Amino acid sequence: MERETPELAAPATFLREEEGASPESVRARFERMIRRVQAEVCAELEAVEGGARDGGGGGALFREDAWTRPGGGGGISRVLQGGRVFEKAAVNVSVVYGVMPPEAYRAARPEAAAAAAAGGEKAGPVAFFAAGISSVIHPVNPFAPTMHFNYRYFETEAPKDAPGAPRQWWFGGGTDLTPSYIIEEDIKHFHSVQKQTCDKFDPGFYPRFKKWCDDYFYIKHRGERRGVGGIFFDDLSDYDQETLLQFATECADSVLPAYIPIIERRKDIPFTEEHKAWQQLRRGRYVEFNLVYDRGTTFGLKTGGRIESILVSLPLTARWEYDHKPEVGSEEWKLLDTCINPREWI
């Protein structure tokens, strides 16, 4: 993949010229959606943080880095760190044209790659297009949960079906919550918003994608989940493109209603050094999952993606203690027990 070129300001579109002239294409509409959502989420987080673009408020603001690649594509990384409410918050969008080596294709499409291999085909390099928005928000207060969301559209670009990698399109994404403490009011609110969004399209979506989320964010070497879940889906192409584009849009638009009320309730709760230490231990679990198991991280690293954007999901601080075990029955133990034994929240 070509190296990125820093830009003083983001262009109107990151699509290649011939595609940018087709404003109603799925690629063009998805790019417009993710850039709109990025702007809305950043504006809302700055408002919660207490920052102001006119110089008042005193809270932290997002730093923006825009970049392009000579062959087309680019992205915008927006990062806020060291704030009063948010230790670190990142909201990134990208439009990428590239070529997947076989191992990256297997990471992106494990089921399809396995099926092709079972048929005796060996996948070669595959040209692809991908666009997406990805965000991770790590608050300062241990009683305010971390939230992650990611929505993406993907196409393989082979002009003919390449061996082991037929030309395909799919959507993926999800929104999930990672608290340090179980506050049922918050978790039930979060899951109820996910269910309401899913139910607009298919009543089977929420139970299907909730279980998928619990299964995906599993830290195998720890025997526990990263958090309390939400929804997650990948390789989704079993509906028409228009329906799934609208579904991804509705999911992205539900992020703020799901999360901001929780942050407003919890950002100013008093906490102790012990609460903070437990939050840092849970942040360590977050790092372990993202670096060892997350498909987006491994895909980005294998395809030569922009490293600062790939690793921006990691918290500013984390902690590891040897053989740490919370006291049975404690609030910390309740969180760990929930991560080991996922619950139904609604």
Side-chain angles (χ1 to χ4, degrees):
M1 189 180 293
E2 301 167 305
R3 287 195 62 83
E4 63 273 359
T5 301
E7 301 288 349
L8 293 176
T13 179
F14 291 112
L15 296 175
R16 288 172 175 165
E17 186 174 351
E18 65 274 16
E19 296 171 357
S22 304
E24 296 310 308
S25 69
V26 172
R27 293 184 179 190
R29 292 163 65 197
F30 194 84
E31 184 198 17
R32 290 199 301 272
M33 182 274 284
I34 60 177
R35 292 180 69 165
R36 171 184 62 79
V37 170
Q38 181 190 44
E40 292 172 356
V41 170
C42 289
E44 189 67 24
L45 294 180
E46 283 187 343
V48 172
E49 175 67 26
R53 289 287 165 184
D54 60 5
L61 300 172
F62 277 91
R63 164 186 169 174
E64 177 176 299
D65 290 329
W67 48 276
T68 59
R69 287 200 170 96
I76 305 168
S77 294
R78 291 182 179 169
V79 181
L80 180 158
Q81 59 187 22
R84 296 183 303 193
V85 176
F86 302 110
E87 178 186 278
K88 186 178 182 184
V91 191
N92 296 342
V93 297
S94 62
V95 173
V96 179
Y97 300 85
V99 177
M100 287 185 283
E103 62 269 21
Y105 182 73
R106 287 193 293 270
R109 296 282 281 177
E111 296 84 2
E121 297 178 334
K122 185 177 180 180
V126 179
F128 72 90
F129 166 88
I133 181 168
S134 182
S135 175
V136 179
I137 304 165
H138 296 293
V140 172
N141 195 302
F143 295 104
T146 287
M147 187 197 65
H148 157 260
F149 74 92
N150 173 288
Y151 292 98
R152 57 196 176 275
Y153 175 67
F154 207 104
E155 292 180 9
T156 56
E157 286 200 306
K160 296 181 180 178
D161 283 355
R167 187 171 188 173
Q168 294 176 322
W169 60 264
W170 64 93
F171 290 84
T175 306
D176 63 280
L177 200 68
T178 306
S180 298
Y181 290 91
I182 297 295
I183 303 177
E184 296 210 8
E185 175 191 8
D186 295 346
I187 303 171
K188 288 179 178 179
H189 165 78
F190 182 83
H191 276 268
S192 69
V193 174
Q194 310 311 311
K195 185 178 187 302
Q196 289 165 14
T197 302
C198 289
D199 285 353
K200 293 178 184 179
F201 294 85
D202 187 325
F205 273 2
Y206 174 75
R208 175 185 172 192
F209 298 155
K210 192 268 184 189
K211 183 180 185 305
W212 202 339
C213 189
D214 289 338
D215 292 343
Y216 177 76
F217 290 105
Y218 180 65
I219 308 172
K220 186 176 180 180
H221 62 271
R222 296 284 190 181
E224 63 191 64
R225 276 77 186 166
R226 191 175 75 177
V228 297
I231 60 170
F232 176 86
F233 57 91
D234 207 357
D235 307 335
L236 200 62
S237 58
D238 50 358
Y239 287 72
D240 62 272
Q241 281 184 307
E242 182 65 28
T243 297
L244 293 180
L245 174 61
Q246 291 303 314
F247 177 58
T249 300
E250 290 271 356
C251 287
D253 284 338
S254 74
V255 165
L256 292 175
Y259 188 58
I260 295 301
I262 299 173
I263 288 295
E264 292 285 11
R265 286 195 294 265
R266 309 303 168 196
K267 63 185 177 67
D268 297 319
I269 292 180
F271 60 87
T272 66
E273 291 184 8
E274 288 75 19
H275 294 137
K276 192 67 179 177
W278 173 247
Q279 179 199 53
Q280 298 302 292
L281 286 168
R282 296 311 303 174
R283 294 266 170 89
R285 298 293 203 268
Y286 207 97
V287 171
E288 291 176 28
F289 177 84
N290 281 29
L291 293 182
V292 178
Y293 300 110
D294 184 68
R295 283 170 61 176
T297 301
T298 56
F299 177 81
L301 294 174
K302 289 174 181 176
T303 56
R306 185 175 184 268
I307 193 67
E308 290 298 326
S309 298
I310 295 168
L311 297 182
V312 77
S313 66
L314 301 182
L316 204 58
T317 59
R319 179 186 181 104
W320 284 264
E321 290 183 15
Y322 180 74
D323 197 27
H324 182 276
K325 293 183 177 66
E327 182 181 350
V328 175
S330 67
E331 294 302 313
E332 291 78 12
W333 177 87
K334 291 177 184 177
L335 182 280
L336 182 58
D337 182 65
T338 300
C339 291
I340 294 172
N341 303 292
R343 292 170 52 182
E344 298 299 322
W345 297 101
I346 52 176

